[in-house]
Amino acid sequence: MRITITAFDRSPDGGKGLARDTRVRWALEEVGQPYDVRLVDFAEMKEPAHLAIHPFGQIPTYEEGDLALFETGGIVFHLAERFPGLLPEDAAGRARAITWMFAAVNTVEPVILDLVNVRILEGDKPWAAERMPLVVERIHGRLRQLAARLGEAEWLDGAFSAGDLMMVSVLLRLRPSGLLDQHPGLAAYVARGEARPAYRRAFADQLAVNTRPAD
Amino acid sequence: MRITITAFDRSPDGGKGLARDTRVRWALEEVGQPYDVRLVDFAEMKEPAHLAIHPFGQIPTYEEGDLALFETGGIVFHLAERFPGLLPEDAAGRARAITWMFAAVNTVEPVILDLVNVRILEGDKPWAAERMPLVVERIHGRLRQLAARLGEAEWLDGAFSAGDLMMVSVLLRLRPSGLLDQHPGLAAYVARGEARPAYRRAFADQLAVNTRPAD
């Protein structure tokens, strides 16, 4: 059955690959599944037809026959479970890889996304400048812990897995801030993710959407 | 193999059930597995022995023979996969339940935990009072979307699942703030979760730890 995902008609990042459809595109490329993309704009995302698939009115979504999923973690996990290549075969390695998926979205991403609060949602508030160093320090604290665990390893736990795909995707959101460069081990880890052919194809495809001429 | 989890020696909430070990206790009770608890204090959580299991120096952790996991989503998923009772048997229902697990920790919990930033981590800052309404409104926005999806249903997608366990656990963190009561449908949903015998046993067990006499 043909897979269809949704993505921003025009991503706010202009094609830097930071919109969340990139994670799902990457996973689809890793497992070698073709897919269609339905582009939605910000107004369409809040309409009943889209909310029926994504209750929080965001992208991406995933449709495959009667199955409709939202939430990148859920979609990537579904692909990892259904097709080989993103989860170890042994039960313990698999459980640890899934734990890293959750760690990426629940322990690492929230401190990083606070940058969006301080910069954009609250960018015009009088406290924005003074609050920024606190937000940045919380990010560095989390990154130091992650860097300590990764050490000199290539990936978080053995071979590349859906846990790395999610963690690299989350860390990539730091790229524009320059904060990632202060953690050379993690910067190299992210670069290894970006160098994967599947990531490069996913990135190129979202870039083509976001840099296409106006209709 | 005997399961051992970690929990706070004394939870900062004094036993209100908001510490994250409660989620794991609840899942263990739902699947009927006995477990041991190793209590750790804040100093121990930052020591190498604990960091070897939990790279971010938090609780809970999960140990079972050679397998060590951290991150509540990862632990609850492992239990749900290993023992019957927390995931539907059909592939589509299972994929949707797992999507709700990720939605709980990645889309709902971060806006709720921003209350901790504004109240505690930044409670002494000059902007705390003025920032609070923004944080509260972001929470209400997310809760309205969740309430719209839940509607009059008992659980998020068919029978009670690990997705509900995680979502109820995340929403419970709002209890002290009173914000949950402004969404009667969600308050009733959370109350249904709390009424489950497995939750009541988990709650009682963490309460006993946190209200025991000083050693």
Side-chain angles (χ1 to χ4, degrees):
Chain A
M1 262 177 302
R2 189 74 181 180
I3 292 166
T4 301
I5 69 167
T6 50
F8 287 124
D9 178 53
R10 297 276 173 186
S11 172
D13 75 352
K16 291 195 180 72
L18 306 181
R20 291 186 181 194
D21 60 291
T22 305
R23 302 176 190 181
V24 171
R25 291 174 183 271
W26 185 6
L28 284 158
E29 294 288 348
E30 290 282 354
V31 300
Q33 292 299 309
Y35 61 99
D36 295 322
V37 182
R38 190 170 69 245
L39 301 178
V40 292
D41 63 27
F42 282 93
E44 287 168 321
M45 285 163 59
K46 308 303 176 193
E47 286 173 6
H50 189 75
L51 287 170
I53 303 173
H54 197 314
F56 302 104
Q58 300 172 340
I59 60 95
T61 58
Y62 176 98
E63 290 164 274
E64 182 191 359
D66 288 340
L67 177 64
L69 299 176
F70 61 100
E71 197 75 34
T72 57
I75 298 169
V76 170
F77 176 77
H78 173 68
L79 292 169
E81 184 159 58
R82 176 114 194 257
F83 305 106
L86 284 173
L87 285 175
E89 289 187 15
D90 68 296
R94 175 184 158 89
R96 289 195 302 268
I98 294 165
T99 280
W100 281 113
M101 292 184 70
F102 279 102
V105 299
N106 197 21
T107 298
V108 178
E109 189 165 39
V111 294
I112 289 175
L113 286 192
D114 208 7
L115 276 181
V116 175
N117 291 336
V118 72
R119 277 219 177 113
I120 300 172
L121 298 183
E122 302 169 18
D124 62 344
K125 301 299 178 191
W127 59 78
E130 208 180 338
R131 193 168 171 262
M132 179 63 94
L134 302 181
V135 171
V136 166
E137 185 42 40
R138 285 199 285 263
I139 294 170
H140 282 311
R142 212 40 64 91
L143 295 185
R144 279 191 293 270
Q145 293 171 315
L146 181 63
R149 167 54 68 102
L150 179 65
E152 302 293 313
E154 187 174 11
W155 306 113
L156 286 167
D157 193 334
F160 177 81
S161 78
D164 294 299
L165 188 153
M166 292 299 290
M167 189 66 81
V168 168
S169 296
V170 161
L171 294 174
L172 267 170
R173 303 187 76 144
L174 281 174
R175 173 65 54 74
S177 71
L179 299 181
L180 190 58
D181 301 329
Q182 299 176 44
H183 303 267
L186 293 181
Y189 168 68
V190 169
R192 283 192 290 277
E194 292 177 292
R196 292 177 70 84
Y199 179 83
R200 294 165 70 103
R201 288 194 296 272
F203 183 89
D205 286 347
Q206 66 78 34
L207 183 65
V209 166
N210 286 300
T211 54
R212 75 190 192 283
D215 300 327
Chain B
M1 263 178 300
R2 188 74 180 179
I3 293 165
T4 301
I5 69 168
T6 50
F8 287 125
D9 179 52
R10 297 276 173 186
S11 172
D13 75 352
K16 291 194 180 73
L18 306 181
R20 291 185 181 195
D21 60 290
T22 305
R23 303 176 189 181
V24 172
R25 292 175 182 271
W26 185 7
L28 285 158
E29 293 287 349
E30 291 282 354
V31 300
Q33 292 299 310
Y35 62 100
D36 296 322
V37 182
R38 190 171 69 246
L39 302 178
V40 291
D41 62 28
F42 282 92
E44 286 168 320
M45 285 164 58
K46 307 304 175 192
E47 287 174 4
H50 188 76
L51 288 170
I53 304 174
H54 197 315
F56 301 104
Q58 300 172 342
I59 61 96
T61 58
Y62 175 99
E63 291 164 273
E64 182 191 359
D66 287 339
L67 177 64
L69 299 175
F70 61 100
E71 197 74 35
T72 56
I75 297 169
V76 170
F77 176 78
H78 173 69
L79 292 169
E81 185 159 57
R82 177 117 192 257
F83 304 106
L86 284 173
L87 285 175
E89 289 187 14
D90 69 296
R94 175 184 158 89
R96 289 196 301 269
I98 294 165
T99 280
W100 280 114
M101 293 183 70
F102 278 102
V105 299
N106 198 20
T107 298
V108 178
E109 190 165 40
V111 293
I112 290 175
L113 286 193
D114 206 8
L115 277 180
V116 175
N117 290 337
V118 71
R119 277 220 177 113
I120 298 173
L121 297 183
E122 302 169 19
D124 62 343
K125 301 298 178 191
W127 58 78
E130 209 180 337
R131 195 171 170 260
M132 179 64 94
L134 303 181
V135 171
V136 166
E137 186 43 40
R138 286 200 284 264
I139 294 170
H140 282 311
R142 214 38 66 90
L143 295 185
R144 279 191 294 269
Q145 293 171 316
L146 182 64
R149 167 54 67 102
L150 180 65
E152 302 292 314
E154 188 174 10
W155 306 111
L156 286 167
D157 193 336
F160 177 83
S161 79
D164 295 299
L165 188 153
M166 292 300 288
M167 190 65 82
V168 167
S169 296
V170 161
L171 294 174
L172 267 170
R173 302 187 77 144
L174 281 173
R175 174 64 54 74
S177 71
L179 299 180
L180 190 58
D181 301 330
Q182 298 176 42
H183 303 267
L186 293 182
Y189 168 68
V190 169
R192 283 192 289 278
E194 292 177 291
R196 292 178 70 85
Y199 179 83
R200 294 165 71 104
R201 289 193 295 273
F203 183 88
D205 286 347
Q206 65 79 33
L207 183 64
V209 165
N210 286 301
T211 54
R212 76 191 191 281
D215 300 326

